[in-house]
Amino acid sequence: MNRDINEILSKYWGYDSFRYLQEDIIKSILEGNDTLGLMPTGGGKSITFQVPTMAMDGMAIVITPIISLMKDQVDNLLRRNIKATYLHSGLSHTERRKVIEKCIYGKYKFLYVSPERLQSDGFLDQLRDFNISLIVVDEAHCISQWGYDFRPSFLSISKLRTVLPNIPVLALTATATPQVVNDIITQLNFKNHKVFSMSFTRENLSYVVRHNEDKLSQIIHILNNVNGSGIVYVRSRSKTKQIATELCRHDISSDYYHAGLSIEDKEEKQNKWNSGKTRVIVATNAFGMGIDKPDVRVVLHYDCPNSLEEYYQEAGRAGRDGHKAYAALVVSHSDNSTLSKRIANQFPSREFIKDVYERVGIFLNIAIGDGYNKTYDFNFNLFCKQFKLPVLATHSALRLLTQAGYIEFIEEIETLSRVIILADKNELYNLHTANNKLDIVLQAILRQYTGLFADYVFINEELISKKFNISVEDIYDSLLALTRMHILHYVPRKRSPYIVYTTAREEKKYVLIPKSIYEVQKERLEFRINHMKKYASNTTMCRQDILLKYFGDNSMPLCGKCDICIDNRKSLTYNDNDVIDGILYMLSNKPRNIHDFLDTLSFSKNKIIDMLSKLVDEGLIEIDSNGIYKKNESE
Ligand code: ADP
Ligand code: MG
């Protein structure tokens, strides 16, 4: 019996109504249809599977590529008193077994799994014993080789459909070109063509591109002219810090963020930005997944992303509250060649890829024919250093080896330490380990945390150390000793990324990178990069129009608020003397740079530049070597 979905929405989430498309998608699921939902980031995709699952018997299995997001979503559900958990290769064997047992007993409504779990036949078999009512594929564009974020392990999702033939699938994504939509439907074997799509237009968002060789001063200039919270996206970790420092020096409150920071740092930085204590966050694309701040006024791109899909997603984090917001891309002359270089870096030679494969095997000490289905900690930086390998190309080689099905390279370093008590409760309180230190640590854990007997509980060694005055090393050693004694199971926090061997180690000469992964993917990257270049260099077409056409939406009128539309409108309504008057008026009280004119005067950019040089030629104004214009005093 389906329970009323409105009642569920208010009971568990406390929301009074559904957002656009949510109800349509939910109804489609409840009718048993395979369904694809295309909604922008922040549009509320989670509700579209969480609510119907609560209305049905049984559980939903949710496939999602990002482990840190799994944790966020599970925590979120637990807070709403909904039973949920996750399963990924970062968990230990014991942990996984425990989760599966509980699933069989129907203890959860939601099980989040990473796609590489589905490659294990053992796991697929076990699924038959679960009572599953819905399969959800989040970030479904990852299944498409046409997409910008193709994950080969997503292809194994189709196996689920064979194991669970009568269970409906809900695929969700924020960005998909028409090709990717078709790919999702084909790959997931949709029985019908139920696609619900929101328009890609964003009424309140102005797209702007600024050409400037001095990107930093352009960014400072924009941030000084727009109020409110902002994000600056850059492509390297080191730049996040550099630029944030520069912004601070210019009195713009800012902080930096990237995937290499500790979980605590990330959380702190994100909280400060969320609450408005930090105005601007300078970040790599690791920032943003799962953030939900409605009042971002400006998203700036210091570097071009590799595709318009990524650009649209990241830019779209501005103005979710519906108020006016800006998405500005700052480009310089060298960007074109930077983008081209990325193609070469993403596709190193086949020989190089095979070399990397062999060296990984040596580095991890895996014999030929060995390693199948095993997980290894993998210190990427050390690996590159030890074999003197170039970082970018090596990274790409691992990605291609992942896509070719040899390994699964997982970079996330998100796991916290966790503990479960294995010994019986009564036994434990009477237990003395004959080692005082162990007893103290055990008592400290028992006092600090609850729920240790039922499941793995996250612990924080530093906190215990401070509170109970035990050194972190002692805690670590004691917990390992207690693990060996089978009193508890301790999984220390992991900082290192890892590699799962999805095929036993091959000899180098048998390693094959197929055309479909190499040439075809390379061509597709070129296609995406070319579109990105066109967007960046475009001076005539409405920016929103370019984006919409790219996503297959040909129906919308020009936006009227991107820099191109505004420029075009301005050029219709003035004559040269108006421009000259404006310039001279602005220079009457102080010297100015070009951006002051462009931002203040409502004339087209080309016109302003023309009139400035005309005035310089005529000797009415002058420009110094720093690009500062002033009135010619001798006049
Ligand atoms: P997406 O996955 O599409 O990026 P989420 O599912 O994470 O978006 O939802 C974004 C935010 O919108 C969340 O904070 C969620 O609680 C909120 N939200 C979703 N649906 C509703 C609703 N019907 N009413 C109010 N808030 C909602
Ligand atoms: Mg989501």
Side-chain angles (χ1 to χ4, degrees):
M1 250 299 281
N2 291 343
R3 284 158 60 195
D4 180 60
I5 56 174
N6 283 293
E7 193 188 305
I8 291 174
L9 185 73
S10 76
K11 177 177 170 204
Y12 290 97
W13 281 270
Y15 303 151
D16 9 300
S17 59
F18 285 104
R19 285 188 185 158
Y20 180 62
L21 280 192
Q22 283 179 333
E23 215 167 344
D24 295 332
I25 296 175
I26 293 171
K27 285 192 172 141
S28 170
I29 303 279
L30 291 174
E31 284 165 14
N33 297 312
D34 296 333
T35 308
L36 170 60
L38 270 155
M39 290 167 82
T41 312
K45 289 187 282 300
S46 316
I47 290 286
T48 65
F49 64 84
Q50 289 168 344
V51 167
T53 305
M54 294 311 287
M56 296 188 277
D57 289 332
M59 69 190 297
I61 171 157
V62 187
I63 298 127
T64 176
I66 297 146
I67 296 172
S68 55
L69 280 194
M70 277 184 201
K71 188 178 172 300
D72 285 354
Q73 294 232 358
V74 167
D75 287 349
N76 210 310
L77 287 168
L78 293 175
R79 270 201 298 279
R80 300 181 194 282
N81 279 322
I82 298 172
K83 296 237 160 33
T85 191
Y86 51 74
L87 208 52
H88 55 74
S89 42
L91 301 180
S92 71
H93 264 306
T94 330
E95 282 176 298
R96 279 187 233 157
R97 216 181 40 233
K98 201 152 174 81
V99 167
I100 287 169
E101 253 167 41
K102 284 183 153 184
C103 284
I104 293 173
Y105 292 128
K107 297 267 191 211
Y108 299 117
K109 282 303 276 182
F110 295 92
L111 172 68
Y112 285 76
V113 296
S114 57
E116 83 273 356
R117 286 286 90 214
L118 303 175
Q119 283 161 343
S120 134
D121 294 336
F123 179 65
L124 287 174
D125 278 343
Q126 278 159 333
L127 280 183
R128 292 181 217 268
D129 297 331
F130 299 5
N131 178 13
I132 294 174
S133 51
L134 177 64
I135 301 167
V136 183
V137 184
D138 208 358
E139 314 293 342
H141 57 272
C142 293
I143 206 170
S144 170
Q145 307 219 18
W146 282 104
Y148 69 97
D149 195 14
F150 170 55
R151 314 265 177 131
S153 52
F154 261 63
L155 293 175
S156 43
I157 299 174
S158 62
K159 285 197 215 159
L160 261 185
R161 300 234 66 186
T162 336
V163 180
L164 308 165
N166 298 317
I167 309 299
V169 170
L170 171 60
L172 295 167
T173 175
T175 38
T177 58
Q179 280 160 323
V180 174
V181 168
N182 281 331
D183 227 14
I184 294 173
I185 289 172
T186 321
Q187 292 290 349
L188 290 178
N189 239 325
F190 268 42
K191 296 194 185 90
N192 49 33
H193 199 284
K194 287 266 177 199
V195 178
F196 295 91
S197 177
M198 236 161 169
S199 161
F200 284 92
T201 41
R202 290 287 310 272
E203 294 299 337
N204 60 320
L205 195 58
S206 290
Y207 295 100
V208 175
V209 175
R210 291 279 179 248
H211 293 265
N212 194 333
E213 296 313 303
D214 183 356
K215 289 191 178 191
L216 183 66
S217 63
Q218 179 71 57
I219 280 180
I220 293 170
H221 183 81
I222 295 173
L223 287 170
N224 280 333
N225 280 280
V226 180
N227 288 324
S229 182
I231 309 175
V232 177
Y233 279 111
V234 300
R235 299 270 309 178
S236 84
R237 291 180 180 181
S238 59
K239 259 195 233 163
T240 61
K241 193 170 177 186
Q242 268 168 31
I243 294 176
T245 313
E246 279 300 320
L247 294 182
C248 287
R249 244 173 27 91
H250 286 83
D251 290 331
I252 297 167
S253 138
S254 52
D255 200 353
Y256 65 98
Y257 184 103
H258 56 72
L261 300 167
S262 74
I263 302 176
E264 290 83 5
D265 280 355
K266 280 194 232 172
E267 243 164 44
E268 193 195 326
K269 284 165 189 275
Q270 190 165 328
N271 289 342
K272 280 193 175 153
W273 179 76
N274 262 330
S275 65
K277 271 193 203 120
T278 309
R279 185 185 152 209
V280 176
I281 193 109
V282 187
T284 60
N285 62 2
F287 185 74
M289 297 273 220
I291 60 153
D292 182 26
K293 186 169 167 61
D295 59 348
V296 178
R297 295 275 68 85
V298 57
V299 172
L300 288 155
H301 277 78
Y302 187 94
D303 296 310
C304 285
N306 281 344
S307 65
L308 288 177
E309 286 97 315
E310 288 156 276
Y311 183 68
Y312 176 82
Q313 280 242 32
E314 288 164 13
R317 294 191 176 121
R320 284 198 201 155
D321 55 6
H323 298 300
K324 183 141 192 60
Y326 293 90
L329 172 69
V330 182
V331 290
S332 71
H333 266 109
S334 55
D335 280 351
N336 247 329
S337 61
T338 310
L339 280 167
S340 303
K341 252 185 248 150
R342 286 196 205 146
I343 300 173
N345 273 328
Q346 292 216 18
F347 290 90
S349 74
R350 281 201 164 82
E351 204 41 43
F352 178 82
I353 300 169
K354 290 169 148 198
D355 272 344
V356 168
Y357 178 78
E358 188 174 38
R359 284 169 179 167
V360 170
I362 297 170
F363 185 72
L364 297 176
N365 213 355
I366 302 166
I368 305 275
D370 222 350
Y372 174 62
N373 224 351
K374 288 191 189 138
T375 304
Y376 301 87
D377 282 347
F378 183 73
N379 187 332
F380 176 74
N381 291 329
L382 183 70
F383 173 70
C384 292
K385 217 164 153 186
Q386 189 162 323
F387 292 99
K388 299 199 173 54
L389 292 166
V391 171
L392 286 179
T394 305
H395 197 269
S396 303
L398 292 173
R399 187 194 79 244
L400 289 160
L401 287 164
T402 298
Q403 299 191 337
Y406 289 98
I407 55 166
E408 186 88 26
F409 171 46
I410 295 157
E411 284 177 85
E412 287 169 81
I413 46 169
E414 295 286 350
T415 62
L416 290 169
S417 301
R418 43 203 193 273
V419 165
I420 185 171
I421 307 270
L422 303 173
D424 182 77
K425 224 178 215 167
N426 301 325
E427 208 179 297
L428 193 70
Y429 287 111
N430 300 324
L431 181 114
H432 288 282
T433 55
N435 177 332
N436 201 19
K437 210 184 271 167
L438 297 191
D439 288 340
I440 292 172
V441 170
L442 189 57
Q443 290 312 319
I445 298 269
L446 285 168
R447 265 200 271 160
Q448 183 65 27
Y449 300 98
T450 55
L452 287 158
F453 291 92
D455 209 338
Y456 285 86
V457 171
F458 291 113
I459 62 156
N460 181 336
E461 290 89 339
E462 257 122 66
L463 188 126
I464 303 169
S465 161
K466 275 196 202 114
K467 192 155 174 185
F468 296 93
N469 201 16
I470 319 168
S471 78
V472 172
E473 292 73 35
D474 278 350
I475 295 172
Y476 178 81
D477 292 342
S478 308
L479 287 173
L480 285 184
L482 289 163
T483 299
R484 283 192 297 273
M485 296 159 76
H486 296 284
I487 290 171
L488 51 75
H489 186 219
Y490 169 55
V491 187
R493 68 184 299 160
K494 224 195 245 173
R495 284 178 181 280
S496 158
Y498 51 95
I499 280 184
V500 185
Y501 267 67
T502 36
T503 324
R505 184 178 164 199
E506 293 273 7
E507 270 183 62
K508 178 179 162 188
K509 62 179 176 209
Y510 297 128
V511 171
L512 204 92
I513 309 293
K515 237 188 170 144
S516 61
I517 305 261
Y518 197 93
E519 280 80 5
V520 176
Q521 291 275 346
K522 187 171 176 186
E523 209 173 282
R524 289 170 188 176
L525 177 64
E526 277 160 3
F527 172 86
R528 290 194 296 270
I529 288 211
N530 282 338
H531 277 271
M532 188 71 232
K533 283 182 183 169
K534 270 193 204 144
Y535 178 88
S537 61
N538 156 61
T539 55
T540 53
M541 283 170 65
C542 166
R543 301 215 187 268
Q544 176 167 284
D545 198 42
I546 298 182
L547 289 167
L548 292 184
K549 290 215 167 85
Y550 185 75
F551 292 120
D553 181 351
N554 294 313
S555 60
M556 299 308 284
L558 305 183
C559 78
K561 54 192 183 297
C562 68
D563 57 337
I564 305 280
C565 283
I566 289 173
D567 248 23
N568 286 343
R569 206 168 43 232
K570 284 175 189 166
S571 62
L572 296 175
T573 53
Y574 59 81
N575 62 44
D576 291 358
N577 284 335
D578 295 334
V579 186
I580 290 175
D581 287 349
I583 293 172
L584 294 177
Y585 176 76
M586 281 183 69
L587 290 176
S588 60
N589 55 358
K590 66 174 189 189
R592 312 266 185 174
N593 69 24
I594 177 90
H595 303 294
D596 295 331
F597 295 116
L598 294 182
D599 290 331
T600 313
L601 297 173
S602 50
F603 303 112
S604 82
K605 181 174 163 185
N606 290 342
K607 206 60 182 181
I608 293 172
I609 293 172
D610 281 356
M611 291 306 116
L612 279 169
S613 49
K614 187 171 172 204
L615 288 169
V616 172
D617 289 346
E618 289 174 0
L620 285 164
I621 64 174
E622 52 187 26
I623 175 171
D624 70 13
S625 57
N626 295 320
I628 306 294
Y629 290 90
K630 53 181 174 228
K631 268 194 151 166
N632 194 338
E633 299 303 340
S634 55
E635 279 295 308

